[in-house]
Amino acid sequence: MNRIFGTAKPKVPKPTLNDAIASTDSRVDSVEVKIKKLDAELVKYKDQMSKMREGPAKNAVKQRALRVLKQKKLYEGQRDQLAAQAWNMEQTNFATENLKNTITTVDAMKTASKELKSQYKKINIDKIESMQDEMEDLLEQANEIQESIGRTYGLPDDVDEADLEAELDALGDELLMEEEGEPSYLSDALDAPEIPTQKVQQTVPGQFGRTGLGKSTLVNTIFASHLIDSKLPKKAQEATRQTTEIVNVTHVIEEKSVKLKLTITDTPGYGDQVNNENCWEPIVKYIKEQYSAYLRKELTPTRDRRIPDTRVHCVLFFIAPTGHALAPLDIIVMKKISENCNVIPIIAKSDSLTLEERIAFKRRIKEEIEFHGIKLYPYIDIDDDVILTDSDRVEKQMVQQIRDMIPFAVVGSERNVVVDGKAVRGRRTRFGIINVENEAHCEFVALRNFLTRTHLQDMIETTAQIHYEAFRTRQLLALKESTTALASRNNESTVNSSRD
């Protein structure tokens, strides 16, 4: 049959808008190629005309150039028409695609709506409410069980409260007598020949500053003991060890039957990273954690007679001996820490500065500290309008002398050098020997006496009465507000249930 009637011609698919747009774009490109050729001819004719004199030859070239220009104008008109057609087809194609997308979106939303309806049919709101009520009843029963277990029993009922108060007052007097009889590591009692009893005074200093400023060396020099290892490499092949977490090192130092329990907190060296944003948060967080731990033990009903004091009593802030000014990062960090703890600034490795540079550097640091409102220890808490006793005047004068000396310009060394036949802590250089205990060389002796003799007990009391008390007040007020809000919500729920 195919020999007689032949085969049917294959159906050609109808052209789409995309095909038409592609065809039109190709025609526009071909017209653009022709226009570029005509532009090249016009440039050639114009160059010829610029080199020819007026006459028949120049007029002939001019006529050819005019014909080429007319062809260019014709092609440009065709190009513009084709471009307009392509634009119209693209707009139509865009509208068609949007309509298809809309139809697909509507179908998907219908399917999702059906699925949501089928899923919601499986959920029973009444059962959820019943489960919530059962959970609330179980929690109330658990609270009642805890209250029942925590009841105090076995106490006699005939105990008079007045007798209890009298016994409590007497117990307070006994504790006060014990505290008055306890020797202080910083007082002049160390000069006494014998102290019959041995008491332990606890202090927790922290050291804070950039890596490589000699923090570990200075602490070891102050207490004349190797308490902290240096972070510098011992060999060239070893990499520098960086303190990556807060580490506590505890030692008991004994001198003339008096024991000092010393806990040194080694902190991360700030400013060593590329991004130093919030680099002070580890030490501030650690200080607040110690306050919080002490507060929890203090609020315990059956607390110990003597609560272990792990609060940080001072922070030795090491400043690089640049001789110019405080770095902006140092100012921010010092201000953040001073809001939570006693801060004592120290110019580390001050032997790298001349005496004139040291005086100018200390003056500039004091000006910046005063300008930025940074509160440093010791604080002047005696008002001028108050009548002062002789002891108050002496104490105020001592505090003012210390504040005039701050920041302490110190030098640390764990090695002994011989000066006038006597072994002392110092450093030997090509220019001479630096004796760390010579007040003409540095202020190490003043810092050591300040930390271990004249102000040790005051640092502990200042931490308890100012910084910890402020933290304790904020925590108790927050606890009171949360308790009040919880009670008000419970009252509202009780009123609503009674109305129902």
Side-chain angles (χ1 to χ4, degrees):
M1 298 296 292
N2 292 334
R3 294 178 180 177
I4 300 175
F5 297 101
T7 58
K9 294 182 179 181
K11 294 184 178 179
V12 179
K14 295 181 180 180
T16 62
L17 282 174
N18 291 328
D19 297 336
I21 293 172
S23 176
T24 305
D25 289 338
S26 63
R27 292 175 63 190
V28 171
D29 294 337
S30 63
V31 173
E32 287 286 352
V33 172
K34 295 179 180 179
I35 292 175
K36 289 181 180 179
K37 290 182 179 179
L38 295 177
D39 287 334
E41 291 184 11
L42 287 173
V43 171
K44 183 180 66 174
Y45 291 148
K46 187 175 181 181
D47 185 53
Q48 291 180 359
M49 292 171 59
S50 62
K51 297 178 182 179
M52 298 175 64
R53 297 180 180 180
E54 294 293 338
K58 185 175 182 180
N59 292 333
V61 174
K62 185 177 182 181
Q63 291 297 325
R64 288 197 294 272
L66 290 176
R67 287 197 298 271
V68 172
L69 185 60
K70 289 180 182 179
Q71 292 179 4
K72 178 183 176 184
K73 294 293 183 182
L74 178 63
Y75 284 138
E76 287 179 348
Q78 293 179 0
R79 182 194 60 187
D80 294 339
Q81 291 179 359
L82 292 174
Q85 293 176 10
W87 169 254
N88 293 333
M89 288 188 291
E90 288 179 355
Q91 291 293 102
T92 305
N93 190 24
F94 181 75
T96 304
E97 294 295 333
N98 280 342
L99 183 59
K100 292 179 180 179
N101 293 335
T102 303
I103 294 173
T104 304
T105 303
V106 171
D107 293 338
M109 292 177 65
K110 289 180 180 179
T111 305
S113 177
K114 292 179 181 179
E115 292 180 357
L116 285 174
K117 290 179 180 179
S118 62
Q119 293 294 332
Y120 273 119
K121 291 179 181 179
K122 300 177 182 179
I123 299 175
N124 192 338
I125 300 298
D126 296 334
K127 290 183 179 180
I128 295 176
E129 293 291 341
S130 177
M131 182 180 63
Q132 292 287 354
D133 295 338
E134 290 178 359
M135 291 294 295
E136 186 176 0
D137 294 339
L138 290 174
L139 290 176
E140 291 180 358
Q141 292 177 8
N143 291 332
E144 292 176 359
I145 292 172
Q146 294 297 326
E147 292 177 359
S148 177
I149 294 176
R151 286 185 304 173
T152 303
Y153 48 86
L155 293 177
D157 297 334
D158 55 350
V159 177
D160 190 3
E161 292 186 359
D163 296 337
L164 291 177
E165 292 180 359
E167 184 177 355
L168 181 61
D169 294 337
L171 180 62
D173 295 337
E174 293 177 0
L175 292 176
L176 183 59
M177 291 176 62
E178 291 181 1
E179 292 178 357
E180 290 178 352
E182 178 180 343
S184 173
Y185 184 80
L186 300 178
S187 64
D188 295 334
L190 291 173
D191 299 331
E194 291 183 0
I195 298 178
T197 58
Q198 294 184 357
K199 301 292 182 180
V200 176
Q201 182 79 15
Q202 180 170 345
T203 180
V204 182
Q207 53 175 348
F208 194 77
R210 298 178 185 268
T211 302
L213 292 182
K215 300 186 294 295
S216 303
T217 302
L218 181 63
V219 171
N220 296 337
T221 308
I222 291 175
F223 297 100
S225 301
H226 188 78
L227 305 179
I228 306 177
D229 293 331
S230 175
K231 302 299 185 296
L232 295 178
K234 298 181 180 179
K235 297 181 180 180
Q237 294 81 4
E238 297 180 6
T240 302
R241 293 180 295 174
Q242 298 290 338
T243 306
T244 56
E245 59 182 5
I246 296 178
V247 179
N248 291 327
V249 181
T250 303
H251 294 272
V252 177
I253 301 176
E254 184 176 358
E255 183 177 354
K256 293 184 180 180
S257 301
V258 177
K259 292 183 178 180
L260 173 68
K261 185 177 181 181
L262 181 71
T263 302
I264 301 173
T265 303
D266 192 8
T267 60
Y270 81 102
D272 297 338
Q273 305 298 324
V274 176
N275 183 8
N276 296 313
E277 184 178 2
N278 299 331
C279 61
W280 60 85
E281 288 186 350
I283 182 63
V284 174
K285 180 181 178 182
Y286 177 78
I287 293 172
K288 291 183 178 180
E289 286 176 353
Q290 303 312 307
Y291 289 160
S292 180
Y294 192 88
L295 179 61
R296 287 195 299 269
K297 295 178 182 178
E298 191 179 48
L299 297 178
T300 303
T302 58
R303 62 182 179 183
D304 299 334
R305 182 179 177 182
R306 292 182 181 273
I307 301 176
D309 191 0
T310 60
R311 297 171 294 185
V312 179
H313 300 120
C314 74
V315 172
L316 302 180
F317 193 95
F318 286 73
I319 302 173
T322 60
H324 301 291
L326 288 174
L329 184 61
D330 291 340
I331 296 174
I332 296 175
V333 175
M334 196 183 303
K335 190 169 185 178
K336 291 290 183 181
I337 298 179
S338 64
E339 295 173 355
N340 300 276
C341 188
N342 301 324
V343 175
I344 303 172
I346 296 173
I347 300 177
K349 299 182 178 181
S350 62
D351 55 333
S352 61
L353 302 173
T354 64
L355 296 178
E356 293 79 8
E357 291 174 344
R358 183 190 304 176
I359 295 173
F361 191 33
K362 293 181 67 171
R363 186 187 305 114
R364 178 60 184 271
I365 292 175
K366 290 179 181 179
E367 292 175 355
E368 292 186 350
I369 289 174
E370 183 179 359
F371 176 78
H372 293 283
I374 301 174
K375 296 181 179 180
L376 301 179
Y377 180 83
Y379 312 110
I380 300 178
D381 55 355
I382 302 177
D383 299 331
D384 296 334
D385 55 351
V386 177
I387 300 176
L388 303 179
T389 62
D390 293 339
S391 61
D392 291 338
R393 292 190 183 93
V394 173
E395 181 181 356
K396 185 176 181 180
Q397 185 179 2
M398 182 184 300
V399 170
Q400 189 59 44
Q401 290 177 354
I402 295 297
R403 291 184 65 87
D404 292 339
M405 193 176 297
I406 288 177
F408 293 95
V410 298
V411 178
S413 176
E414 296 185 68
R415 296 182 179 181
N416 291 330
V417 294
V418 179
V419 178
D420 297 333
K422 182 181 178 181
V424 296
R425 294 287 182 100
R427 300 178 65 244
R428 187 185 301 274
T429 66
R430 59 182 298 184
F431 306 104
I433 296 176
I434 300 174
N435 185 0
V436 299
E437 297 185 359
N438 189 342
E439 296 182 2
H441 293 179
C442 67
E443 297 168 347
F444 169 78
V445 175
L447 175 64
R448 183 182 60 186
N449 294 337
F450 173 67
L451 292 176
T452 61
R453 290 183 180 273
T454 60
H455 284 75
L456 175 60
Q457 187 63 30
D458 184 73
M459 283 190 297
I460 299 174
E461 294 176 356
T462 302
T463 300
Q465 297 173 5
I466 297 180
H467 299 291
Y468 171 71
E469 192 63 29
F471 176 83
R472 182 176 181 272
T473 302
R474 291 193 298 267
Q475 294 296 317
L476 293 180
L477 289 176
L479 180 61
K480 180 181 179 181
E481 292 177 358
S482 62
T483 305
T484 304
L486 180 61
S488 62
R489 288 197 297 268
N490 292 336
N491 293 333
E492 291 177 359
S493 62
T494 304
V495 171
N496 294 332
S497 61
S498 61
R499 291 178 180 176
D500 295 340

